[in-house]
Structures are given as C-alpha cells and as structure tokens.
Amino acid sequence: MTEPVPVIRKLEQALADDDFAWSLLLVGEDQTDKLATLTGDLRGPFSKTGDGKQITSGFSYWGIGPTIAWANATNDPFYLVMKVGAESFLRHWRKVLPHVENGGFHLVSLGVGTGVKDRTILGDMRRHHREMYYIPVDMSSEMLRMGTLEPVRGARFPMSQVLPVQLDFSIADNMDELAQLLARLIGDDPILFTLTGNTLANFESDEELLSTLTRVLRPQDRLLLEVATTSSLDADAAKAAADEYHQTRAFAEFVTSALRYNTDLTIDNDRIDFRGEVENDDALRVKIVWQNNTGAPIVMGLPDHTEVVLEPEDTILLYTTRKFSTERLKKLTAACELTPIEHAHSAFRHTRRPSPFGLDLLLLAPGTAEVTTATTLADDIWST
C-alpha cells in the first residue's frame, strides 16, 4: 500500500488550479477563551478615568464588524497617522531595505493591518529570495483574511508560501509557541519580524509587549518597528494628539465597533471622550473612553448573556495610543536589549501651522553589540 500524500501537499495542488479566493489559516487559540477574556474585561471595576472596564488592544480588531470598521478608518484622509504612514512607508522602507534584501530573510508580520506595507516588503525581498515564506500573525482571523489578500494579489506572492497564523502575539507563551513553529518550518534562516502602523502604542505596557517580542529574536533576526513620534511633550501637544483622532468619524466608528458587536450597548458618539496626557515625561498618551454621562445607571448585556451595571460617570476604555519621544524610544530599545541599525523619520505636514508629530521606522537587531562594521552606530542612529 502506498503512503497517503500529506494533506497540505494535496491542498497546495488543489488551490493552484482554483480561481476561487481560498485562504489558509492556522488557528492557534481557542476562540471561546478569547470571548471569555473580553467578557471578563468588560466586568471591570468602576472608574472615571478609563482604568476599570476595558477593551484591550487586540479585541478592537476582533470579529468581522471591527475588521470592516478598521478598513473604513484606514481610508479616511483625516486619520493622519494612517495617512502619513501610507505616504512615508515606501520612502522609509527604501532606507531600510539594503540591510535585509540580501540576507535570505523570511517575513513574519505581527498585526497584518491592510497588508499594503507587507506588499511593499514582499515585492522587494522576494526578488532576492524566491523561496521566502510570508507568515502574517494576528489575533483576528478576519483581519488575516483581509490583510493577506493585498500582498498575495498585489505582489503576486505565491499562496503556497503564505501561512497566516491566528495568535495573540502580546502573550509571552504564544510567542514561545510561535518561535518553535518557525524553527520547525524554516530552521536557522533569518526572519524579519515587522510591527508597523504604531501598533506598539496600543498596548497598556509598550515595554512589556516589546520585551515579549524580543524574547523570540535570534541573533540573525531583525525587527522592523514603526511608531508615531512627537518632538513636544506639553499639555498643548497632548490635546493636539487627542484632537487628531477626534476629527475623524470613521475612527470613532472603529473604536466603538467592539462594543457595538459584543454588547447590547447603544452607541452614542456624544459619550465618547478623547483624552490626551503626557505620560512619564517622555510620551503622549491618548485614551479613548466611553463614559456614562446620562446621570443614570445603564445596564449593558454581555456576550455570555449576563449583565453589568454602568453607574453614572463609569467608563469603558476603548482604545489607547501614544506618540513617542526619541528619549522614550531610546529607553525602550535599551531596556529590551535591541540595537537600532537604521532609522527613518517623516514629520506631519499641515498647511497652516507646524506640527510636532511624525512617524518613525526603526530596524532593530537583538543584543547590544554593534551588528556589522557597515552598520551605522546605535549612538548616532537617532540623528538621521
């Protein structure tokens, strides 16, 4: 009796001859556990400041409704971080490319987003490494479906070399499991991990997330990090940062979508508050909260068919984002033992007044030693 052909090989052959928009997905987590986590977070204590009930970062994109709302927000020209990111990424990437184009890297995209930036990276890198794998990782399977279509179609990247992975990469144990999977899949080949779109800013502890990602980096790997930045750290800049997100209705629809699709709460944009503050004297933080400003309790139904009472002035934290100073980035990379080997910066451009805000792209290597003699010294990289 002949041995059966492995199902993955059979599937590859089947998909190669099929024009239907199939997409593969490796599910790494029990989705009922994720729903239980979201429900528990919405039962948090009373807080006027957004420090009780919350929707943590990954759940903002979890499910088809939030995914569609995110796609709509990315197309809003008033969503400046996204707009500047789209305009500047190609220029920034061209500065980074010489450091990775000839190294035989595979691409692991953490938080796939719209897939436009992955399309650019894959289009350039595959010219030098035809056998490279593309492994997008996201907590939302719907985001993976949407985000992988762009690089596969736009860069004509072969589906047989794409492995989308549903996984919450902010959990340390998950990253350990991912590292083991990658080791079995590609061995000792180098990997370019990417965390673009200012995703680092959306987590409660940016250092904890960056440290979690760093633990899987081997000496031959690199991390491409894109963050929103600021040259000013005062109350006026904090207010301007909050106003930046407040001016786009599509973004408001996005940040409330997780509540809309996972509770029975009636969404009124008059109850959404955009709060800017200076954080630790080295970053600006914007907290977007829903607040019960009705003067009376509101009963909110949860996904497990239980209810929670939202007292007057109680809040639900919908979204957190930041703009980093150079000092904050230096502290983060040093604390996580990462060496910056390339840096590109673009400022926001306004027609009437200058802005302290910008977007930076960093290529980072694990460890604190100089990577190669051809690499710009880490002490000088921030001046570029």
Side-chain angles (χ1 to χ4, degrees):
M1 179 182 296
T2 59
E3 290 291 326
V5 177
V7 66
I8 294 296
R9 190 177 303 167
K10 292 280 287 184
L11 191 56
E12 177 185 339
Q13 296 169 352
L15 295 180
D17 300 324
D18 198 327
D19 292 332
F20 190 73
W22 294 105
S23 58
L24 298 175
L25 175 64
L26 187 62
V27 178
E29 294 178 297
D30 188 333
Q31 298 300 283
T32 59
D33 291 345
K34 306 308 289 184
L35 189 61
T37 298
L38 173 61
T39 303
D41 288 343
L42 289 172
R43 288 201 187 97
F46 174 90
S47 172
K48 293 182 180 180
T49 59
D51 297 313
K53 301 170 182 66
Q54 64 175 327
I55 293 173
T56 53
S57 179
F59 288 104
S60 299
Y61 309 85
W62 192 60
I64 187 60
T67 295
I68 293 173
W70 167 247
N72 291 336
T74 61
N75 291 318
D76 190 330
F78 293 101
Y79 186 5
L80 291 182
V81 168
M82 187 59 60
K83 182 175 185 291
V84 173
E87 293 172 349
S88 67
F89 184 78
L90 181 59
R91 182 172 66 257
H92 288 179
W93 169 245
R94 290 289 184 259
K95 191 174 181 181
V96 168
L97 180 59
H99 296 277
V100 295
E101 63 182 339
N102 294 314
F105 285 84
H106 301 275
L107 177 63
V108 175
S109 177
L110 302 172
V112 63
T114 61
V116 172
K117 294 170 184 176
D118 287 355
R119 179 190 66 192
T120 298
I121 295 171
L122 288 170
D124 285 337
M125 292 182 64
R126 191 168 178 264
R127 282 196 285 269
H128 302 273
H129 186 202
R130 305 293 293 180
E131 291 75 35
M132 73 177 294
Y133 288 111
Y134 170 46
I135 304 169
V137 182
D138 204 289
M139 198 182 94
S140 168
S141 57
E142 290 82 4
M143 286 291 290
L144 285 167
R145 165 76 175 183
M146 179 189 74
T148 55
L149 288 178
E150 179 69 27
V152 167
R153 292 176 177 175
R156 298 187 180 275
F157 195 86
M159 181 60 76
S160 60
Q161 293 167 225
V162 180
L163 181 61
V165 177
Q166 182 281 319
L167 200 70
D168 185 347
F169 55 78
S170 69
I171 299 175
D173 287 345
N174 285 355
M175 288 303 293
D176 290 341
E177 292 293 336
L178 179 63
Q180 294 178 38
L181 172 66
L182 294 172
R184 293 191 292 267
L185 181 65
I186 64 174
D188 294 329
D189 288 358
I191 297 172
L192 176 64
F193 291 87
T194 63
L195 188 70
T196 57
N198 201 35
T199 301
L200 180 66
N202 303 146
F203 290 81
E204 181 178 354
S205 173
D206 47 4
E207 182 177 332
E208 182 179 343
L209 176 66
L210 193 58
S211 178
T212 296
L213 305 184
T214 304
R215 64 190 286 155
V216 307
L217 296 180
R218 305 160 301 168
Q220 65 269 37
D221 297 334
R222 298 292 179 265
L223 173 64
L224 189 69
L225 179 66
E226 187 180 37
V227 290
T229 55
T230 181
S231 60
S232 181
L233 293 166
D234 55 28
D236 288 341
K239 182 180 184 303
D243 290 344
E244 175 190 307
Y245 289 91
H246 196 191
Q247 66 184 342
T248 163
R249 181 176 180 84
F251 185 80
E253 292 292 327
F254 158 62
V255 295
T256 57
S257 62
L259 271 185
R260 190 185 306 276
Y261 287 96
N262 291 288
T263 74
D264 66 354
L265 194 65
T266 299
I267 304 301
D268 185 339
N269 284 349
D270 290 338
R271 298 190 187 120
I272 310 303
D273 195 12
F274 295 73
R275 303 175 179 179
E277 61 187 18
V278 179
E279 182 185 48
N280 299 329
D281 295 323
D282 59 11
L284 303 177
R285 180 170 64 173
V286 177
K287 296 169 68 174
I288 304 169
V289 302
W290 177 95
Q291 186 163 35
N292 178 8
N293 57 10
T294 65
I298 296 176
V299 177
M300 178 175 67
L302 297 177
D304 62 353
H305 305 293
T306 62
E307 296 177 335
V308 63
V309 177
L310 302 166
E311 300 291 347
E313 304 306 314
D314 198 3
T315 58
I316 302 172
L317 179 63
L318 303 177
Y319 200 77
T320 299
T321 189
R322 291 179 179 86
K323 294 184 185 295
F324 300 89
S325 69
T326 298
E327 287 305 309
R328 177 68 160 261
L329 293 175
K330 287 181 178 180
K331 291 176 186 177
L332 281 172
T333 52
C336 298
E337 297 188 344
L338 291 166
T339 298
I341 59 176
E342 192 55 89
H343 173 223
H345 169 78
S346 288
F348 284 16
R349 293 179 175 87
H350 290 263
T351 56
R352 293 187 178 178
R353 62 184 186 275
S355 170
F357 304 145
L359 209 66
D360 287 30
L361 189 67
L362 292 164
L363 182 65
L364 304 167
T368 56
E370 185 180 347
V371 180
T372 69
T373 55
T375 296
T376 305
L377 293 175
D379 288 343
D380 301 327
I381 201 76
W382 303 102
S383 63
T384 59

